[in-house]
Amino acid sequence: MSAPAPTPEQAAAEADALKRAGAVLTIDLAAIVDNWRTLSALAAPAQCAAVVKADAYGLGIAEVAPALWRAGALTFFVAHLNEGLRLRALLPDAVIYVLNGLMPGTAPDLVAARLRPALGSVPEISEWSAFCRAAGESHAAAIHVDTGMERLGLSLDDAVRLSDSRRLLGFEPSLLMSHLACADTPGHPLTLRQLSIFTDVARRFPGVPASLANSAGTLLGRDFRFDLVRPGIFLYGGVAVSGVPPLRSVVRLDARILQVREVERGATVGYGAAQRMKRRSRIATVCVGYADGLFRAAGATDAKPGAEAIIAGRRCPLVGRISMDLASVDVTGLPDGAVERGAMATLLGEGIGVDDLAARSGTIGYEVLTSLGGRYLRRYVGG
């Protein structure tokens, strides 16, 4: 169902906001929904949940989660209790799991909001079980088992003991889960080892739905999918497995060109004089910097190239260091008159994906998405 056409007043307000914006972040909700539907079809008959932690990977949980719910997603995962409380206000009927588990003394808050903690330690399970017994009610929660991540989760010995004494719990587990450490690296031996361990543990909890696969795990085949998959980065247009192309692109970032200047051969651009021009050049200064999530490491020096921007349909290299509010782009190769003050340079979109920018910044697509700043004019399309 497409959004209604804007009223004349809304269109005028958006045009006014665009005129004032230094940079515009466009988020395609239809692409996120389409990516979820693709994974849901792939994972069937397993249920396809949606991971919307970290404000839906930086793209706005208030807009993303309802769009996914309307598309048919029933189960959602967040990291923190406060994220769960915010999501519950948006989606009164969704199943919501809190991945970071049970903070001491917060069981009443979780239960009041019908949130399900992923219990990953004996003290957490004991506290949740005691709360349920005291209330005389069984409240749903996941059991998180560590199979090789060495981060959160029960040890295998504790998981075995729990399975032997499950009838003594004050609640019935609603999900058994673990997390893959290296599924994004094809052929990594730890992945198959984790699958084997989790399969053995799942047999000890008959009747409890099991979940192992993140985005990458969902792509690894039926054996990894169990009863429920938990995609995150693949929903948002990022690479989940090395060598496997992402699904539909979700974000576009356009920054305003503030000035175009002539720079003589031998001049340096930006802080630290990190890059010296090898020819007489034209440099466009654009209104985006590391305060907006364009990492300082995306800049260029004499020793290394930086990221790129698309201006007038052509890829142009960033030059010099990224500063807090500004970046510089070499537009020497563009025809005269192709670059004007007030036009836009595209940092994400038109073939530049979040992982492309990440690779030029020495990081990963996850960090690019979750670092997108608060100064952008955010536009949601396709919702």
Side-chain angles (χ1 to χ4, degrees):
M1 181 176 172
S2 59
T7 65
E9 292 79 9
Q10 290 170 329
E14 181 171 349
D16 197 41
L18 182 60
K19 179 180 66 177
R20 296 193 304 267
V24 180
L25 182 67
T26 303
I27 298 159
D28 190 340
L29 295 175
I32 296 174
V33 165
D34 190 51
N35 290 345
W36 179 84
R37 285 177 172 150
T38 297
L39 289 175
S40 184
L42 177 67
Q47 182 191 158
C48 187
V51 179
V52 293
K53 62 183 180 178
D55 199 26
Y57 283 50
L59 301 186
I61 195 172
E63 292 77 18
V64 170
L68 288 167
W69 172 262
R70 291 191 296 269
L74 302 176
T75 301
F76 295 80
F77 287 81
V78 296
H80 299 291
L81 170 57
N82 283 338
E83 291 179 330
L85 295 174
R86 185 181 178 196
L87 183 57
R88 175 57 72 211
L90 295 166
L91 301 180
D93 299 318
V95 173
I96 302 172
Y97 284 95
V98 179
L99 289 166
N100 283 8
L102 178 65
M103 299 288 283
T106 61
D109 303 288
L110 286 150
V111 168
R114 292 175 290 114
L115 303 176
R116 302 180 180 187
L119 305 173
S121 69
V122 171
E124 284 182 290
I125 291 170
S126 298
E127 183 174 341
W128 188 258
S129 190
F131 179 85
C132 291
R133 286 197 199 94
E137 298 175 324
S138 176
H139 295 288
I143 300 296
H144 185 178
V145 180
D146 175 51
T147 56
M149 175 72 85
E150 301 294 351
R151 197 175 58 174
L152 295 177
L154 289 171
S155 70
L156 296 182
D157 288 343
D158 285 337
V160 169
R161 281 191 288 269
L162 180 66
S163 68
D164 291 339
S165 60
R166 181 176 151 191
R167 67 185 182 282
L168 301 178
L169 289 175
F171 67 98
E172 180 63 21
S174 57
L175 187 70
L176 179 75
M177 62 172 287
S178 189
H179 193 65
L180 294 166
C182 303
D184 57 343
T185 306
H188 198 289
L190 180 56
T191 303
L192 286 179
R193 188 156 70 246
Q194 285 190 270
L195 173 62
S196 176
I197 292 169
F198 187 71
T199 300
D200 289 341
V201 172
R203 291 193 187 105
R204 291 179 168 273
F205 290 84
V208 179
S211 177
L212 176 63
N214 52 7
S215 290
T218 303
L219 303 179
L220 291 180
R222 187 176 299 275
D223 289 347
F224 286 86
R225 296 171 192 149
F226 292 87
D227 301 295
L228 180 142
V229 298
R230 314 185 306 269
I233 190 66
F234 224 38
L235 299 180
Y236 307 109
V239 170
V241 178
S242 178
V244 177
L247 296 176
R248 287 185 58 186
S249 180
V250 168
V251 295
R252 178 184 177 106
L253 175 58
D254 297 293
R256 190 84 64 188
I257 295 171
L258 301 176
Q259 186 182 97
V260 181
R261 67 190 304 119
E262 300 289 332
V263 175
E264 297 298 326
R265 181 178 182 273
T268 57
V269 176
Y271 282 119
Q275 186 170 16
R276 189 175 299 277
M277 295 296 96
K278 296 179 180 179
R279 60 179 178 178
R280 193 170 194 272
S281 304
R282 277 184 299 149
I283 304 297
T285 302
V286 298
C287 190
V288 64
Y290 59 73
D292 304 294
L294 181 62
F295 297 117
R296 190 169 181 267
T301 68
D302 287 335
K304 79 165 189 72
E308 296 176 314
I310 295 175
I311 299 176
R314 297 260 300 271
R315 288 198 179 214
C316 303
L318 271 64
V319 293
R321 288 182 181 169
I322 308 295
S323 57
M324 184 180 293
D325 312 298
L326 302 168
S328 299
V329 184
D330 187 344
V331 295
T332 310
L334 297 183
D336 291 342
V339 187
E340 297 180 352
R341 168 177 166 261
M344 289 291 195
T346 300
L347 282 301
L348 288 171
E350 296 189 29
I352 300 177
V354 293
D355 291 280
D356 298 316
L357 178 55
R360 296 298 184 99
S361 307
T363 185
I364 55 177
Y366 299 76
E367 190 173 17
V368 169
L369 286 172
T370 56
S371 298
L372 293 170
R375 296 195 294 188
Y376 300 126
L377 170 64
R378 290 193 171 215
R379 298 176 62 246
Y380 290 89
V381 298

